[in-house]
Amino acid sequence: MTPAATELATATNEHLAHTSNILIYSSMAVYMLAFLAYIAEWLFGSRSKVARTAAALTAAAGSAQPAKAQQPAVTVQSAGGTAVLERPEVVVRSAAGARDVPDGPGAHGGDEQGDLYGRIAISLTVLAFLVELAGVVARAASVERAPWGNMYEFNITFSTVAVGVYLGLLALKKNVRWIGLFLTTTVLLDLGLAVTVLYTASDQLVPALHSYWLYIHVSTAIFCGAALYVGAVATLAYLFKDSYENKLAGGGTPGTFATSVLERLPSSATLDKFAYRINAGVFPLWTFTIIAGSIWAESAWGRYWGWDPKETWAFITWVGYACYLHARSTAGWKGRKAAYIALIAFACYLFNYYGVNIFVSGKHSYAGV
């Protein structure tokens, strides 16, 4: 390549990198507008319709309790006489139908004004997603490779995929619009961290990363993380909603804020099932991610497994989700106990994602991060 051509290529790459930065900042601005629209959806939802939903939850929770008249009696022979005792009432929380509670109306509360703000928020989220995706593509073009060579590139790609998973679930008519506020909050924090602390100028990869396994291993890791994030949000919402339903079923009165927010969410059973399906569906793909990483390690470093910090925490994360799936099928561990395990497993993923790359030295610490 002639010096003039080299200079032109360098200038083009620098221009693409600058364009990528502008697009990422622009997407943050649009995400902020979407964040405000999601807040408006929650704030302007009709309290009257939400109150009717709360009444339905209370009634359903009460009706879900086994009626004493329907309990078979227990006959006991005692000292020549016969005593008839009522069978003790037993409610198993993890049993299907133990609490037949309907889903809440959603963040908009069933109100037209709230729904309008929600649809505006979705439109802004789609726009922000497209702008951010263009920024990721521009970054890839500027470095002439997959944009996963350092933590900055990984962050902007991860947040893009997370939003893509959310929009994909919406396109499939899943009841996940309530996640929008939590998602945009997280994405703004993620991108803010990326452009301030983690930013790295466009550069070429270290030799160990020059492999087609970069496209296979890292892309699956990014998708797994994005899907597991959605599952973790649903799990956390399940824990709060389950406590709320328990309080209603016990005749208690939740606080005003809890009532205003939690009664709009899907039922705890729905949230639990949704989180389980996400985590169970991603687990085989996370297993493949670890296997693909091992094959890549053998190609790059001459060994399949070396207990590098990144490898170790990836395995710990795998064990965490394996324990969660096992707990789901174990009596006495379904419901809240299994949910706690899922959150611990996701915390391990987050430490593997941020903690290992930033604070722990190892073969996976590239590009100064």
Side-chain angles (χ1 to χ4, degrees):
M1 184 179 291
T2 64
T6 301
E7 183 178 349
L8 177 61
T10 302
T12 300
N13 291 341
E14 291 178 352
H15 176 71
L16 287 171
H18 181 66
T19 301
S20 172
N21 294 340
I22 292 175
L23 289 170
I24 295 300
Y25 277 103
S26 299
S27 70
M28 293 176 65
V30 183
Y31 277 128
M32 178 58 70
L33 294 176
F35 169 77
L36 296 175
Y38 282 119
I39 289 180
E41 179 185 19
W42 281 93
L43 290 179
F44 293 100
S46 171
R47 291 186 178 274
S48 61
K49 292 187 177 181
V50 168
R52 288 198 293 272
T53 301
L57 286 172
T58 305
S63 64
Q65 300 298 325
K68 291 185 177 180
Q70 297 174 349
Q71 297 291 331
V74 178
T75 303
V76 180
Q77 301 290 336
S78 176
T82 302
V84 179
L85 305 177
E86 290 184 346
R87 183 179 296 277
E89 186 176 296
V90 178
V91 178
V92 181
R93 292 168 48 154
S94 60
R99 186 196 294 136
D100 189 14
V101 178
D103 290 341
H108 55 78
D111 180 70
E112 290 185 3
Q113 186 180 22
D115 183 62
L116 174 62
Y117 283 113
R119 286 187 280 112
I120 292 173
I122 292 299
S123 299
L124 289 170
T125 303
V126 172
L127 176 60
F129 167 75
L130 294 175
V131 174
E132 186 182 10
L133 179 61
V136 172
V137 172
R139 175 74 177 199
S142 71
V143 294
E144 300 178 351
R145 56 169 171 77
W148 309 321
N150 51 62
M151 279 292 289
Y152 168 73
E153 295 173 355
F154 199 95
N155 263 40
I156 61 175
T157 306
F158 176 83
S159 59
T160 303
V161 175
V163 177
V165 169
Y166 168 68
L167 295 177
L169 291 172
L170 284 176
L172 294 173
K173 307 299 183 182
K174 302 298 181 180
N175 182 17
V176 296
R177 198 164 95 178
W178 58 272
I179 296 179
L181 178 59
F182 306 98
L183 177 67
T184 51
T185 302
T186 306
V187 167
L188 284 170
L189 292 174
D190 182 72
L191 291 178
L193 180 66
V195 300
T196 54
V197 178
L198 301 176
Y199 181 77
T200 304
S202 299
D203 200 359
Q204 294 303 310
L205 295 174
V206 295
L209 291 181
H210 284 287
S211 171
Y212 61 87
W213 284 106
L214 172 69
Y215 298 90
I216 301 172
H217 171 66
V218 182
S219 62
T220 53
I222 291 174
F223 177 79
C224 287
L228 291 175
Y229 163 79
V230 174
V233 172
T235 300
L236 192 62
Y238 156 74
L239 290 173
F240 281 103
K241 188 61 181 280
D242 184 62
S243 296
Y244 173 76
E245 291 178 1
N246 280 337
K247 197 164 189 176
L248 287 176
T253 303
T256 303
F257 178 78
T259 300
S260 177
V261 174
L262 296 177
E263 64 193 5
R264 308 190 201 188
L265 298 180
S267 68
S268 62
T270 299
L271 291 170
D272 186 41
K273 183 185 298 183
F274 174 72
Y276 169 70
R277 288 177 175 175
I278 290 288
N279 293 330
V282 172
F283 183 74
L285 193 58
W286 183 250
T287 304
F288 170 77
T289 301
I290 295 176
I291 295 173
S294 298
I295 297 174
W296 188 9
E298 195 279 331
S299 174
W301 301 315
R303 87 295 189 275
Y304 288 100
W305 195 266
W307 295 106
D308 181 77
K310 176 72 72 172
E311 297 169 349
T312 302
W313 279 94
F315 178 69
I316 291 173
T317 302
W318 183 90
V319 171
Y321 278 105
C323 290
Y324 163 75
L325 295 177
H326 178 70
R328 290 280 309 194
S329 61
T330 303
W333 281 88
K334 296 179 181 179
R336 297 183 68 88
K337 291 182 180 179
Y340 291 136
I341 296 175
L343 291 180
I344 292 173
F346 185 69
C348 292
Y349 174 86
L350 288 180
F351 182 78
N352 188 37
Y353 177 35
Y354 288 107
V356 171
N357 281 26
I358 298 175
F359 302 112
V360 181
S361 298
K363 289 182 175 294
H364 287 80
S365 298
Y366 296 117
V369 182

